[in-house]
Amino acid sequence: MVYDSPSKTITTKRLVLRLFQKSDAVTVTKLCNNYNIYKSTLHLPYPYCIEDALSWMEHHRDNFNANKLYEFAITDKETGELYGAIALSNNQKFNHGEIAYWVGEEFWGNGHATEAAQAILKFAFDVKQYHKIFARYFHSNPASGRVLQKLGMKQEGILIDHVRKENRYEDLVYYGIINSIGL
């Protein structure tokens, strides 16, 4: 993982994580207007339209510059193709943050979420000096849990029937990892 502060990019073996641009809105809309992504995410609306994408991206740069929230487009290193998104919150009071991500369904199973999450974890611990990173996922989406396990995160608990989605309750599974270097 290589972080370039001036360009706000993270480069991995196969990916470039970069800030979203307005020109990404059409692709974001295409990827997010997908029921299978909607049912596995906490906050994405469905159907998803171009206004949703533009509104979501509007404050990314300001949040990044204010060290509140880092939201990156997950893109192919060679072609620039947009695969999805990954975000890292910054709770400065507690020196921790949450990882959240989505990948377009046509790109599932290629390791993009894992590679991007590994880079974000390194960014959080090495660059931003966080003490802890956590993530949560719907119990009905075990693939997301496998990504977190590959990061070395450990399950910390399950919040039973914690959120309501489509008139049913979903369990949220929490995972976390401590920055052992900072100890």
Side-chain angles (χ1 to χ4, degrees):
M1 183 282 294
V2 175
Y3 175 61
D4 181 59
S5 183
S7 68
K8 297 175 176 49
T9 59
I10 298 173
T11 305
T12 69
K13 182 178 178 184
R14 301 180 300 154
L15 304 172
V16 172
L17 309 182
R18 61 162 175 80
L19 294 180
F20 280 91
Q21 304 157 2
K22 282 187 180 181
S23 59
D24 294 321
V26 171
T27 303
V28 168
T29 302
K30 177 181 156 272
L31 295 174
C32 288
N33 192 33
N34 177 311
Y35 179 76
N36 290 324
I37 292 195
Y38 161 76
K39 74 178 185 177
S40 297
T41 57
L42 205 50
H43 299 291
L44 281 181
Y46 184 80
Y48 194 96
C49 64
I50 192 96
E51 290 80 15
D52 294 321
L54 291 169
S55 173
W56 172 63
M57 291 187 282
E58 185 177 356
H59 299 289
H60 285 186
R61 185 173 297 278
D62 292 340
N63 288 336
F64 196 109
N65 290 337
N67 286 318
K68 290 182 181 177
L69 181 64
Y70 313 102
E71 299 193 71
F72 294 96
I74 302 171
T75 66
D76 184 272
K77 187 176 181 178
E78 301 301 320
T79 67
E81 184 171 16
L82 178 62
Y83 296 142
I86 190 160
L88 174 68
S89 67
N90 186 4
N91 187 324
Q92 295 176 13
K93 179 178 180 180
F94 299 115
N95 197 25
H96 71 201
E98 179 179 10
I99 295 175
Y101 49 85
W102 59 264
V103 172
E105 186 173 13
E106 64 194 270
F107 306 112
W108 289 358
N110 294 310
H112 301 310
T114 300
E115 188 171 331
Q118 288 168 334
I120 287 293
L121 189 65
K122 194 161 176 49
F123 171 76
F125 286 160
D126 295 353
V127 177
K128 296 299 178 179
Q129 302 294 304
Y130 285 24
H131 173 68
K132 180 179 182 176
I133 297 299
F134 66 95
R136 55 194 168 154
Y137 68 93
F138 290 153
H139 191 264
S140 60
N141 182 16
S144 195
R146 286 190 293 278
V147 169
L148 303 178
Q149 291 165 4
K150 290 175 188 174
L151 298 178
M153 296 177 98
K154 302 294 181 205
Q155 183 177 314
E156 295 184 344
I158 300 174
L159 300 179
I160 306 298
D161 284 355
H162 195 67
V163 296
R164 188 172 177 182
K165 183 114 182 181
E166 294 192 306
N167 295 319
R168 71 178 186 278
Y169 290 94
E170 288 274 358
D171 297 349
L172 279 185
V173 184
Y174 273 74
Y175 270 69
I177 190 168
I178 303 293
N179 182 357
S180 59
I181 297 169
L183 296 178

